[in-house]
Amino acid sequence: MVVQDFAQSALVPFAPFFAHWQESAAGAWLPRLRALTQERLQAPRHGDWSQWMALLARLPDIQPHERCFDQPCVGVMSAQPLDAAAHGELRDALMGLHPWRKGPFCLHGVTIDAEWRSDWKWARAAGALGDLRDALVLDLGCGNGYYGYRALGAGARLVLGIDPGLRFVAQFLAVNHFLRSDRLAVLPLADEDLYDQTAGVDLLLSMGVLYHRRDPLRHLNILRRLLRPGGRLLLETLVLDAPGDALLEPSGRYAQMRNVYAIPSVTRLNAWLRETGFCHIELVDLTPTTSAEQRSTEWMRFQSLADFLDPKEPSRTCEGHPAPVRAMLLAEA
Ligand SMILES: C[S@@+](CC[C@H](N)C(=O)[O-])C[C@H]1O[C@@H](n2cnc3c(N)ncnc32)[C@H](O)[C@@H]1O
């Protein structure tokens, strides 16, 4: 069904969400959201896209009985459990979208045990965020939308997720085929695509994105402009757990990642936030990433954090940098 829909317009699966977005305080973004989504999904740059859409078209249509967005395993159950054959087919279909980086999801008895325990990150954020009742949320660099569902579970009215990774968009479409939320969308956009939009959201999540940006201050500037005055930013990023305003700019790889440009100390990060117009800045969490939180599973069969640390000195990456520590800051625009 999705494939037929896409043949007409890449926007069909997102139409109910767009209708809600149009009514929101950031409704003025809609023409840009629609145009870029259409352009990128109609002629997708990823060679596997049509194969993923064919896979989605074969997903079974199962009536949801109970949906759950406020528990670690975001999921849905039908009134009748699937029989073994249907369960196996569903598992194989979802496995076709490997690797699953963010989760867990529990879809009609199939548990997607993703590389990241994203529920742990959400648990660290949730206490600081509090009740999200009625909030308009942008999750920038959202992966497959896991946190968007959790934000809805915490009361948010509408969550726009954007991520340039097309596999994440495909995974979202698969998950949402079963969860059937018209209050969340994952669109194939990046921060720069929205840089000149006015009006703004109540809450912006930027988690795990800042260190991937060549110009982190520009990223923070974009975030501030996308928030309404007084809106809140939850910024999560790699930091140096060191005093002063230290900054690591890896010249080669960092924990085998090619695109890590800047890892500031918390003091430096605070200064960047102030410089780009944020106030009431609060450090809400500082946590070393462990190989219990980020690991290979059957749903992500490639190497993971344990392979990227120095086996003799796990407080260092294999390149000799300090091992990953992540900070979460809350700030007001
Ligand atoms: C380390 S992952 C973090 C995913 C998720 N936010 C989390 O915290 O688990 C970084 C994500 O940012 C996305 N990304 C990279 N560059 C981006 C950009 N310029 N704008 C928005 N997202 C971007 C990547 O595709 C990837 O999904």
PDB file of all heavy atoms in Angstrom, residues 104-126:
ATOM      1  N   PRO A 104      14.194   0.254  22.395  1.00  0.00           N
ATOM      2  CA  PRO A 104      13.490  -0.893  21.812  1.00  0.00           C
ATOM      3  C   PRO A 104      12.050  -0.584  21.410  1.00  0.00           C
ATOM      4  O   PRO A 104      11.424   0.317  21.931  1.00  0.00           O
ATOM      5  CB  PRO A 104      13.500  -1.898  22.976  1.00  0.00           C
ATOM      6  CG  PRO A 104      13.483  -1.051  24.218  1.00  0.00           C
ATOM      7  CD  PRO A 104      14.261   0.182  23.881  1.00  0.00           C
ATOM      8  N   PHE A 105      11.563  -1.421  20.462  1.00  0.00           N
ATOM      9  CA  PHE A 105      10.161  -1.420  20.071  1.00  0.00           C
ATOM     10  C   PHE A 105       9.614  -2.847  20.265  1.00  0.00           C
ATOM     11  O   PHE A 105      10.355  -3.823  20.070  1.00  0.00           O
ATOM     12  CB  PHE A 105      10.003  -1.057  18.594  1.00  0.00           C
ATOM     13  CG  PHE A 105      10.407   0.359  18.255  1.00  0.00           C
ATOM     14  CD1 PHE A 105      11.663   0.633  17.721  1.00  0.00           C
ATOM     15  CD2 PHE A 105       9.528   1.417  18.447  1.00  0.00           C
ATOM     16  CE1 PHE A 105      12.030   1.933  17.402  1.00  0.00           C
ATOM     17  CE2 PHE A 105       9.898   2.727  18.122  1.00  0.00           C
ATOM     18  CZ  PHE A 105      11.146   2.988  17.609  1.00  0.00           C
ATOM     19  N   CYS A 106       8.361  -2.925  20.641  1.00  0.00           N
ATOM     20  CA  CYS A 106       7.702  -4.234  20.780  1.00  0.00           C
ATOM     21  C   CYS A 106       6.468  -4.210  19.896  1.00  0.00           C
ATOM     22  O   CYS A 106       5.464  -3.583  20.255  1.00  0.00           O
ATOM     23  CB  CYS A 106       7.278  -4.485  22.225  1.00  0.00           C
ATOM     24  SG  CYS A 106       8.620  -4.274  23.394  1.00  0.00           S
ATOM     25  N   LEU A 107       6.545  -4.833  18.729  1.00  0.00           N
ATOM     26  CA  LEU A 107       5.465  -4.741  17.745  1.00  0.00           C
ATOM     27  C   LEU A 107       4.794  -6.098  17.611  1.00  0.00           C
ATOM     28  O   LEU A 107       5.366  -7.029  17.045  1.00  0.00           O
ATOM     29  CB  LEU A 107       6.035  -4.274  16.397  1.00  0.00           C
ATOM     30  CG  LEU A 107       6.813  -2.944  16.438  1.00  0.00           C
ATOM     31  CD1 LEU A 107       7.436  -2.631  15.084  1.00  0.00           C
ATOM     32  CD2 LEU A 107       5.934  -1.791  16.900  1.00  0.00           C
ATOM     33  N   HIS A 108       3.623  -6.213  18.156  1.00  0.00           N
ATOM     34  CA  HIS A 108       2.832  -7.437  18.086  1.00  0.00           C
ATOM     35  C   HIS A 108       3.668  -8.670  18.462  1.00  0.00           C
ATOM     36  O   HIS A 108       3.666  -9.676  17.751  1.00  0.00           O
ATOM     37  CB  HIS A 108       2.209  -7.583  16.688  1.00  0.00           C
ATOM     38  CG  HIS A 108       1.232  -6.480  16.396  1.00  0.00           C
ATOM     39  ND1 HIS A 108       0.080  -6.290  17.116  1.00  0.00           N
ATOM     40  CD2 HIS A 108       1.260  -5.454  15.486  1.00  0.00           C
ATOM     41  CE1 HIS A 108      -0.571  -5.231  16.665  1.00  0.00           C
ATOM     42  NE2 HIS A 108       0.133  -4.688  15.689  1.00  0.00           N
ATOM     43  N   GLY A 109       4.409  -8.542  19.547  1.00  0.00           N
ATOM     44  CA  GLY A 109       5.165  -9.682  20.059  1.00  0.00           C
ATOM     45  C   GLY A 109       6.597  -9.757  19.545  1.00  0.00           C
ATOM     46  O   GLY A 109       7.387 -10.572  20.039  1.00  0.00           O
ATOM     47  N   VAL A 110       6.952  -8.946  18.569  1.00  0.00           N
ATOM     48  CA  VAL A 110       8.347  -8.930  18.080  1.00  0.00           C
ATOM     49  C   VAL A 110       9.075  -7.792  18.791  1.00  0.00           C
ATOM     50  O   VAL A 110       8.671  -6.628  18.686  1.00  0.00           O
ATOM     51  CB  VAL A 110       8.407  -8.713  16.554  1.00  0.00           C
ATOM     52  CG1 VAL A 110       9.858  -8.579  16.091  1.00  0.00           C
ATOM     53  CG2 VAL A 110       7.708  -9.854  15.825  1.00  0.00           C
ATOM     54  N   THR A 111      10.128  -8.139  19.526  1.00  0.00           N
ATOM     55  CA  THR A 111      10.893  -7.115  20.242  1.00  0.00           C
ATOM     56  C   THR A 111      12.126  -6.744  19.429  1.00  0.00           C
ATOM     57  O   THR A 111      12.970  -7.599  19.142  1.00  0.00           O
ATOM     58  CB  THR A 111      11.331  -7.627  21.629  1.00  0.00           C
ATOM     59  OG1 THR A 111      10.150  -7.946  22.360  1.00  0.00           O
ATOM     60  CG2 THR A 111      12.128  -6.573  22.391  1.00  0.00           C
ATOM     61  N   ILE A 112      12.197  -5.464  19.048  1.00  0.00           N
ATOM     62  CA  ILE A 112      13.365  -4.965  18.314  1.00  0.00           C
ATOM     63  C   ILE A 112      14.354  -4.443  19.351  1.00  0.00           C
ATOM     64  O   ILE A 112      14.183  -3.364  19.917  1.00  0.00           O
ATOM     65  CB  ILE A 112      12.955  -3.854  17.321  1.00  0.00           C
ATOM     66  CG1 ILE A 112      11.954  -4.413  16.302  1.00  0.00           C
ATOM     67  CG2 ILE A 112      14.195  -3.286  16.624  1.00  0.00           C
ATOM     68  CD1 ILE A 112      11.414  -3.379  15.315  1.00  0.00           C
ATOM     69  N   ASP A 113      15.363  -5.255  19.611  1.00  0.00           N
ATOM     70  CA  ASP A 113      16.382  -4.912  20.601  1.00  0.00           C
ATOM     71  C   ASP A 113      17.497  -4.189  19.843  1.00  0.00           C
ATOM     72  O   ASP A 113      18.438  -4.804  19.354  1.00  0.00           O
ATOM     73  CB  ASP A 113      16.885  -6.212  21.252  1.00  0.00           C
ATOM     74  CG  ASP A 113      17.910  -5.942  22.334  1.00  0.00           C
ATOM     75  OD1 ASP A 113      17.997  -4.801  22.817  1.00  0.00           O
ATOM     76  OD2 ASP A 113      18.635  -6.899  22.699  1.00  0.00           O
ATOM     77  N   ALA A 114      17.354  -2.866  19.755  1.00  0.00           N
ATOM     78  CA  ALA A 114      18.242  -2.069  18.910  1.00  0.00           C
ATOM     79  C   ALA A 114      19.631  -1.930  19.536  1.00  0.00           C
ATOM     80  O   ALA A 114      19.842  -2.286  20.697  1.00  0.00           O
ATOM     81  CB  ALA A 114      17.618  -0.688  18.698  1.00  0.00           C
ATOM     82  N   GLU A 115      20.554  -1.369  18.747  1.00  0.00           N
ATOM     83  CA  GLU A 115      21.931  -1.163  19.249  1.00  0.00           C
ATOM     84  C   GLU A 115      21.929  -0.325  20.537  1.00  0.00           C
ATOM     85  O   GLU A 115      22.625  -0.633  21.493  1.00  0.00           O
ATOM     86  CB  GLU A 115      22.770  -0.429  18.192  1.00  0.00           C
ATOM     87  CG  GLU A 115      24.179  -0.118  18.681  1.00  0.00           C
ATOM     88  CD  GLU A 115      24.990   0.747  17.715  1.00  0.00           C
ATOM     89  OE1 GLU A 115      24.385   1.439  16.871  1.00  0.00           O
ATOM     90  OE2 GLU A 115      26.236   0.740  17.830  1.00  0.00           O
ATOM     91  N   TRP A 116      21.134   0.752  20.524  1.00  0.00           N
ATOM     92  CA  TRP A 116      21.109   1.661  21.673  1.00  0.00           C
ATOM     93  C   TRP A 116      19.916   1.373  22.566  1.00  0.00           C
ATOM     94  O   TRP A 116      18.808   1.178  22.062  1.00  0.00           O
ATOM     95  CB  TRP A 116      21.000   3.107  21.195  1.00  0.00           C
ATOM     96  CG  TRP A 116      22.294   3.696  20.735  1.00  0.00           C
ATOM     97  CD1 TRP A 116      22.813   3.615  19.474  1.00  0.00           C
ATOM     98  CD2 TRP A 116      23.225   4.453  21.514  1.00  0.00           C
ATOM     99  NE1 TRP A 116      24.015   4.284  19.427  1.00  0.00           N
ATOM    100  CE2 TRP A 116      24.294   4.810  20.663  1.00  0.00           C
ATOM    101  CE3 TRP A 116      23.255   4.872  22.848  1.00  0.00           C
ATOM    102  CZ2 TRP A 116      25.378   5.562  21.094  1.00  0.00           C
ATOM    103  CZ3 TRP A 116      24.329   5.623  23.286  1.00  0.00           C
ATOM    104  CH2 TRP A 116      25.383   5.958  22.412  1.00  0.00           C
ATOM    105  N   ARG A 117      20.145   1.380  23.859  1.00  0.00           N
ATOM    106  CA  ARG A 117      19.029   1.414  24.812  1.00  0.00           C
ATOM    107  C   ARG A 117      18.567   2.867  24.871  1.00  0.00           C
ATOM    108  O   ARG A 117      18.916   3.614  25.788  1.00  0.00           O
ATOM    109  CB  ARG A 117      19.497   0.925  26.189  1.00  0.00           C
ATOM    110  CG  ARG A 117      19.829  -0.561  26.244  1.00  0.00           C
ATOM    111  CD  ARG A 117      18.604  -1.438  26.014  1.00  0.00           C
ATOM    112  NE  ARG A 117      17.490  -1.114  26.912  1.00  0.00           N
ATOM    113  CZ  ARG A 117      17.217  -1.751  28.050  1.00  0.00           C
ATOM    114  NH1 ARG A 117      17.962  -2.756  28.431  1.00  0.00           N
ATOM    115  NH2 ARG A 117      16.183  -1.393  28.787  1.00  0.00           N
ATOM    116  N   SER A 118      17.789   3.271  23.886  1.00  0.00           N
ATOM    117  CA  SER A 118      17.342   4.665  23.815  1.00  0.00           C
ATOM    118  C   SER A 118      16.437   4.992  25.001  1.00  0.00           C
ATOM    119  O   SER A 118      16.295   6.158  25.378  1.00  0.00           O
ATOM    120  CB  SER A 118      16.592   4.910  22.502  1.00  0.00           C
ATOM    121  OG  SER A 118      17.360   4.472  21.415  1.00  0.00           O
ATOM    122  N   ASP A 119      15.836   3.960  25.588  1.00  0.00           N
ATOM    123  CA  ASP A 119      15.001   4.189  26.775  1.00  0.00           C
ATOM    124  C   ASP A 119      15.848   4.710  27.935  1.00  0.00           C
ATOM    125  O   ASP A 119      15.356   5.463  28.771  1.00  0.00           O
ATOM    126  CB  ASP A 119      14.252   2.913  27.168  1.00  0.00           C
ATOM    127  CG  ASP A 119      15.162   1.706  27.307  1.00  0.00           C
ATOM    128  OD1 ASP A 119      16.062   1.505  26.458  1.00  0.00           O
ATOM    129  OD2 ASP A 119      14.994   0.949  28.288  1.00  0.00           O
ATOM    130  N   TRP A 120      17.126   4.351  27.989  1.00  0.00           N
ATOM    131  CA  TRP A 120      17.983   4.850  29.073  1.00  0.00           C
ATOM    132  C   TRP A 120      18.202   6.353  28.892  1.00  0.00           C
ATOM    133  O   TRP A 120      18.177   7.120  29.847  1.00  0.00           O
ATOM    134  CB  TRP A 120      19.323   4.132  29.100  1.00  0.00           C
ATOM    135  CG  TRP A 120      19.241   2.667  29.469  1.00  0.00           C
ATOM    136  CD1 TRP A 120      18.096   1.908  29.580  1.00  0.00           C
ATOM    137  CD2 TRP A 120      20.326   1.796  29.774  1.00  0.00           C
ATOM    138  NE1 TRP A 120      18.414   0.622  29.919  1.00  0.00           N
ATOM    139  CE2 TRP A 120      19.776   0.517  30.049  1.00  0.00           C
ATOM    140  CE3 TRP A 120      21.714   1.961  29.823  1.00  0.00           C
ATOM    141  CZ2 TRP A 120      20.571  -0.573  30.385  1.00  0.00           C
ATOM    142  CZ3 TRP A 120      22.511   0.863  30.148  1.00  0.00           C
ATOM    143  CH2 TRP A 120      21.940  -0.389  30.432  1.00  0.00           C
ATOM    144  N   LYS A 121      18.469   6.752  27.643  1.00  0.00           N
ATOM    145  CA  LYS A 121      18.662   8.188  27.387  1.00  0.00           C
ATOM    146  C   LYS A 121      17.374   8.944  27.712  1.00  0.00           C
ATOM    147  O   LYS A 121      17.406  10.005  28.331  1.00  0.00           O
ATOM    148  CB  LYS A 121      19.065   8.425  25.921  1.00  0.00           C
ATOM    149  CG  LYS A 121      19.527   9.855  25.665  1.00  0.00           C
ATOM    150  CD  LYS A 121      19.835  10.125  24.198  1.00  0.00           C
ATOM    151  CE  LYS A 121      21.149   9.566  23.735  1.00  0.00           C
ATOM    152  NZ  LYS A 121      21.598  10.127  22.424  1.00  0.00           N
ATOM    153  N   TRP A 122      16.239   8.380  27.292  1.00  0.00           N
ATOM    154  CA  TRP A 122      14.971   9.062  27.565  1.00  0.00           C
ATOM    155  C   TRP A 122      14.741   9.160  29.084  1.00  0.00           C
ATOM    156  O   TRP A 122      14.270  10.196  29.570  1.00  0.00           O
ATOM    157  CB  TRP A 122      13.787   8.348  26.898  1.00  0.00           C
ATOM    158  CG  TRP A 122      12.522   9.127  27.129  1.00  0.00           C
ATOM    159  CD1 TRP A 122      11.533   8.834  28.020  1.00  0.00           C
ATOM    160  CD2 TRP A 122      12.151  10.371  26.510  1.00  0.00           C
ATOM    161  NE1 TRP A 122      10.562   9.816  27.997  1.00  0.00           N
ATOM    162  CE2 TRP A 122      10.921  10.766  27.072  1.00  0.00           C
ATOM    163  CE3 TRP A 122      12.739  11.183  25.538  1.00  0.00           C
ATOM    164  CZ2 TRP A 122      10.269  11.943  26.690  1.00  0.00           C
ATOM    165  CZ3 TRP A 122      12.087  12.359  25.159  1.00  0.00           C
ATOM    166  CH2 TRP A 122      10.867  12.716  25.746  1.00  0.00           C
ATOM    167  N   ALA A 123      15.104   8.117  29.816  1.00  0.00           N
ATOM    168  CA  ALA A 123      14.907   8.149  31.276  1.00  0.00           C
ATOM    169  C   ALA A 123      15.727   9.289  31.888  1.00  0.00           C
ATOM    170  O   ALA A 123      15.279   9.963  32.821  1.00  0.00           O
ATOM    171  CB  ALA A 123      15.302   6.810  31.888  1.00  0.00           C
ATOM    172  N   ARG A 124      16.925   9.541  31.343  1.00  0.00           N
ATOM    173  CA  ARG A 124      17.757  10.629  31.875  1.00  0.00           C
ATOM    174  C   ARG A 124      17.148  11.989  31.535  1.00  0.00           C
ATOM    175  O   ARG A 124      17.270  12.939  32.305  1.00  0.00           O
ATOM    176  CB  ARG A 124      19.186  10.539  31.299  1.00  0.00           C
ATOM    177  CG  ARG A 124      19.931   9.283  31.725  1.00  0.00           C
ATOM    178  CD  ARG A 124      21.429   9.396  31.465  1.00  0.00           C
ATOM    179  NE  ARG A 124      21.779   9.323  30.057  1.00  0.00           N
ATOM    180  CZ  ARG A 124      22.072   8.210  29.398  1.00  0.00           C
ATOM    181  NH1 ARG A 124      22.049   7.037  30.020  1.00  0.00           N
ATOM    182  NH2 ARG A 124      22.394   8.239  28.131  1.00  0.00           N
ATOM    183  N   ALA A 125      16.485  12.067  30.373  1.00  0.00           N
ATOM    184  CA  ALA A 125      15.898  13.339  29.949  1.00  0.00           C
ATOM    185  C   ALA A 125      14.560  13.597  30.638  1.00  0.00           C
ATOM    186  O   ALA A 125      14.229  14.742  30.958  1.00  0.00           O
ATOM    187  CB  ALA A 125      15.687  13.330  28.427  1.00  0.00           C
ATOM    188  N   ALA A 126      13.795  12.532  30.851  1.00  0.00           N
ATOM    189  CA  ALA A 126      12.384  12.694  31.219  1.00  0.00           C
ATOM    190  C   ALA A 126      12.199  13.484  32.516  1.00  0.00           C
ATOM    191  O   ALA A 126      11.326  14.341  32.595  1.00  0.00           O
ATOM    192  CB  ALA A 126      11.720  11.322  31.322  1.00  0.00           C
TER     193      ALA A 126
END
